[in-house]
């Protein structure tokens, strides 16, 4: 089968499969349809798209402006980008805004972006904007390359959902890192969940803000960033690195002044040369580069089809048995109560799992437990019971639905708690100096390092560039360089950081567990009941629905098997 035929087969089978799913049985179907649409559109698109991705205020828009050589995209001292801005080639700098009602706003320049593509005073996106496109007469774009400026992550759920979907449209992801901070373990796993686990394998890391550090700090951070980059797969041509240093703001200033020599020192030309090499390498086999995304999303579609086939098949069987009117009415009332109870319990659990709420409720307690060497007891006596109570409330409604509708129970909602954090604790035998009950730094015997702080550390302690903790860790790792013991305030901050990172990992793991559980539980909670009729016909709408679902699953399995052959 040639490539064009493969395009046609996988696109049609995926679109047909998600089209046969009933969103009333599973609210996740709407999200799945959107993501399948993005994946299928990119499989047949001729343009090469480069997305710039990273948390708020990491300099993504500044980096893109430096590449374009002008202030085309909004940049400010505060996070502003609130929409996915696609930058393509055009003879003049122009902005086109498409609204949800189909109308368009087209203006020369990019000043109009401030009205439609930035966050409002409450840091929310506009809900009436469907797409934002900027055209620019830049040679890079004239080669058929599109740039995608994405909103920052780590803020609101709506913005993160937008970024997550738009990443599926990128042929190359430029992940911007802040050289003044090191990624925590939770952030690293978050990145895997968003990129490599979804078949997005062409990733380049760009470290910004290194120019704000001293020479020794720059070398140390560069070494640690290499460790981060090397831990991710990189589908790049031979000889092309997946890690670059670019000082975005100095690069933009140099380009605006036309100072090529100054721009060269910022690292921007090296990044641009690498991007061009990647584009030329990938263009000859774009389908092979994009196919992993289709293969990554296909299992989700298959699971949704199989779940609905089971539920609808049972409904068809129930109709064939001719249940009486009174039984159906009872089931309908029970279903309404079960759905309301399930949705309420889910909302309460999601609110509890939200990181800001976890930090408010537990960070101080967790830090205190770490300080007392009693974290495991705190976890067992406080956090686990709180999770169990809310977990049982959610699962209890699913159990009720299984009993009422005679459905098999799905796999229970289960969460693997993060490993216990540990912090570098000095020997508490010293009673001298400003650090009463703290050791002489030369006698410090660190136990370990908090998971979120230390996963990228080269030595037993190292220098974690994590706010004010970098100084303390440097002194503990090199005790003879400074005879002053760490202050109690500094140690308290370490406990706070370790507690926050643990709760961040717990929150991320909890939401992932909920996402998987909802896929299995929704078909049971929203079991399709037969409608009240005087006599059940031999052929019902549920019968046709079941046939469509079965046909879609068979076709998708056939196409996937042919791709693997």
């Amino acid at each position: 089968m040639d490539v064009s035929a493969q395009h046609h087969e996988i696109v049609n089978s995926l679109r047909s499969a998600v089209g046969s799913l009933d969103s009333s049985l599973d609210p996740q179907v709407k999200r799945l349809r959107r993501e399948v649409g993005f994946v299928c559109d990119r499989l047949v698109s001729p343009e090469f798209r480069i997305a710039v991705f990273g948390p708020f205020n990491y300099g993504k828009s500044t980096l893109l402006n430096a590449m374009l050589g002008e202030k085309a995209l909004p940049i400010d001292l505060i996070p502003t980008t609130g929409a996915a801005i696609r930058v393509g080639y055009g003879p003049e700098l122009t902005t086109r805004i498409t609204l949800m009602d189909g109308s368009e706003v087209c203006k020369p320049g990019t000043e109009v972006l401030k009205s439609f593509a930035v966050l409002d005073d409450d840091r929310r996106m506009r809900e009436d904007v469907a797409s934002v496109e900027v055209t620019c007469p830049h040679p890079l774009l004239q080669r058929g390359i599109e740039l995608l400026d994405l909103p920052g992550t780590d803020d609101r759920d709506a913005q993160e959902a937008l970024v997550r979907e738009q990443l599926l449209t990128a042929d190359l992801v430029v992940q911007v890192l802040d050289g003044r901070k090191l990624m925590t373990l939770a952030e690293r796993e978050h990145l895997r969940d968003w990129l490599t686990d979804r078949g997005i394998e062409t990733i380049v890391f760009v470290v910004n803000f290194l120019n704000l550090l001293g020479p020794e700090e720059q070398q140390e951070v560069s070494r640690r960033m290499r460790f981060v980059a090397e831990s991710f797969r990189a589908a790049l041509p031979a000889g092309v690195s997946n890690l670059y240093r670019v000082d975005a703001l100095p690069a933009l200033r140099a380009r605006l002044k036309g100072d090529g020599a100054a721009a060269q020192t910022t690292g921007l030309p090296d990044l641009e040369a690498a991007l061009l090499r990647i584009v030329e390498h990938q263009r000859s086999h774009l389908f092979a580069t994009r196919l992993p995304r289709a293969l990554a999303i296909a299992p989700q579609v298959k699971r949704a089809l199989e779940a609905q086939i089971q539920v609808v098949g049972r409904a068809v069987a129930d109709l064939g048995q001719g249940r009486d009117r009174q039984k159906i009415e009872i089931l309908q009332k029970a279903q309404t109560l079960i759905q309301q109870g399930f949705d309420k319990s889910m909302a309460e659990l999601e609110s509890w799992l939200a990181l800001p709420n976890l930090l408010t409720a537990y960070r101080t307690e967790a830090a205190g437990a770490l300080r007392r060497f009693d974290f495991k007891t705190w976890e067992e006596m406080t956090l686990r019971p709180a999770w169990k109570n809310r977990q049982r409330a959610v699962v209890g409604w699913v159990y009720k639905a299984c009993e009422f509708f005679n459905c098999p129970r799905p796999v229970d909602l289960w969460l693997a708690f993060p490993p216990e954090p540990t912090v570098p604790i000095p020997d508490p035998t010293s009673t001298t100096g400003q650090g009463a009950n703290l050791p002489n730094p030369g006698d410090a015997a660190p136990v370990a390092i908090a998971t979120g702080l230390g996963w990228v550390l080269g030595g037993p302690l190292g220098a974690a560039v994590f706010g004010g903790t970098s100084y303390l860790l440097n002194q503990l790792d090199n005790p003879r360089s400074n005879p002053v013991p760490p202050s109690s305030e500094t140690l308290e901050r370490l406990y706070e950081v370790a507690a926050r990172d643990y709760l961040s990992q717990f929150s991320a793991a909890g939401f992932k567990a909920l996402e998987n559980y909802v896929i299995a539980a929704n078909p049971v909670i929203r079991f399709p009941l037969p409608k009240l009729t005087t006599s059940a016909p031999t052929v019902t709408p549920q019968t046709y629905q079941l046939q469509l679902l079965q046909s879609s699953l068979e076709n998708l399995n056939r196409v996937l098997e042919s791709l693997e052959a």
Side-chain angles (χ1 to χ4, degrees), residues 169-190:
T169 73
D171 297 298
L172 167 63
V173 174
V174 176
Q175 166 72 45
V176 179
L177 304 176
D178 187 335
R180 299 166 298 180
K181 307 174 184 177
L182 286 183
M183 295 174 68
T184 65
L185 177 60
E187 290 169 335
R188 185 187 184 192
E189 294 306 315
H190 194 58

Side-chain angles (χ1 to χ4, degrees), residues 40-62:
C40 291
D41 288 344
R42 292 309 296 170
L43 276 173
V44 297
S45 174
E47 291 86 8
F48 191 97
R49 182 171 294 177
I50 301 174
V52 180
F53 170 58
F56 270 115
N57 225 21
Y58 272 35
K60 300 182 300 298
S61 298
T62 303

Side-chain angles (χ1 to χ4, degrees), residues 140-415:
L140 178 69
L141 305 175
Q142 200 167 12
R143 295 174 178 238
I145 299 173
E146 293 179 343
L147 301 176
L148 189 63
D149 186 18
L150 295 174
T153 56
D154 297 339
D155 196 45
R156 294 187 179 274
D157 291 343
Q159 284 137 223
E160 293 214 350
L162 171 65
V163 173
R164 186 179 172 88
E165 291 180 350
Q166 288 294 325
L167 283 172
L168 289 171
T169 73
D171 297 298
L172 167 63
V173 174
V174 176
Q175 166 72 45
V176 179
L177 304 176
D178 187 335
R180 299 166 298 180
K181 307 174 184 177
L182 286 183
M183 295 174 68
T184 65
L185 177 60
E187 290 169 335
R188 185 187 184 192
E189 294 306 315
H190 194 58
L191 190 60
R192 290 192 187 280
D193 180 53
W194 282 42
L195 298 177
T196 55
D197 290 350
R198 302 168 77 208
I200 304 172
E201 300 176 354
T202 310
I203 308 165
V204 169
F205 292 87
V206 173
V207 186
N208 192 15
F209 300 117
L210 278 183
N211 58 303
L212 302 181
L213 303 178
E216 292 184 1
E217 289 179 296
Q218 290 184 20
Q219 291 181 2
E220 182 64 16
V221 170
S222 296
R223 183 180 69 81
R224 300 183 191 283
M225 290 301 186
R226 280 195 297 273
F227 178 84
V228 173
E230 289 169 1
S231 66
F232 285 84
R233 289 175 292 172
L236 303 178
V240 175
S241 171
N242 70 335
L243 178 65
Y244 295 87
R245 168 193 174 162
V246 177
D247 302 324
L249 186 56
L252 174 58
R253 290 169 176 166
R255 285 286 169 84
L256 292 176
K257 294 177 182 179
D259 189 341
Q264 190 71 38
T265 64
T266 65
L268 181 61
D270 291 338
L271 172 64
E272 291 172 330
L275 296 181
L276 287 175
R277 285 192 61 188
I278 295 170
V279 171
E280 295 306 316
H281 173 76
Q282 301 282 45
R283 266 192 170 145
S284 59
H285 50 275
L286 270 182
F287 176 71
T289 301
R290 295 166 176 173
L291 181 60
R293 300 171 200 195
L295 298 179
I297 204 171
Q300 298 181 46
V301 179
K302 287 178 59 176
R303 287 195 296 271
L305 285 169
E306 290 164 352
Q308 293 202 7
I309 285 172
Q310 184 180 35
V311 170
V312 176
R314 192 172 294 276
V316 170
D318 288 344
L319 278 174
Q321 296 171 6
R323 295 191 170 188
D324 58 38
R325 183 183 186 89
Q326 184 179 10
K327 183 71 174 288
I328 294 174
E329 288 178 343
I330 293 173
L331 289 176
Q332 287 175 338
K333 292 178 181 178
Q335 185 177 62
T336 299
L337 293 174
I338 288 171
Q339 289 177 0
Q340 291 173 347
F342 178 79
D343 291 342
K344 181 181 178 181
S345 297
M346 280 291 296
E348 291 174 352
L349 180 50
E350 288 173 346
S351 175
W352 181 74
L353 279 172
L355 183 56
N357 296 338
L358 284 177
L359 293 176
T360 299
Y362 300 111
R363 178 164 57 180
T364 300
E365 290 184 11
L370 284 171
R371 183 175 60 254
R372 298 188 305 271
F373 300 97
D374 199 27
F375 185 85
K376 207 63 182 177
T377 300
W378 172 83
E379 183 185 79
E380 291 293 334
M381 300 299 295
T382 301
L383 193 60
R384 284 184 184 273
W387 158 260
K388 276 292 184 184
N389 289 338
R390 291 166 175 83
Q391 180 257 6
R392 288 186 186 122
V394 171
V395 172
W397 291 109
V398 178
Y399 287 178
K400 287 183 175 66
C402 292
E403 293 172 4
F404 269 100
F405 309 133
N406 193 26
C407 294
R409 287 183 181 180
V411 176
D412 271 347
L413 172 58
W414 180 82
L415 169 63

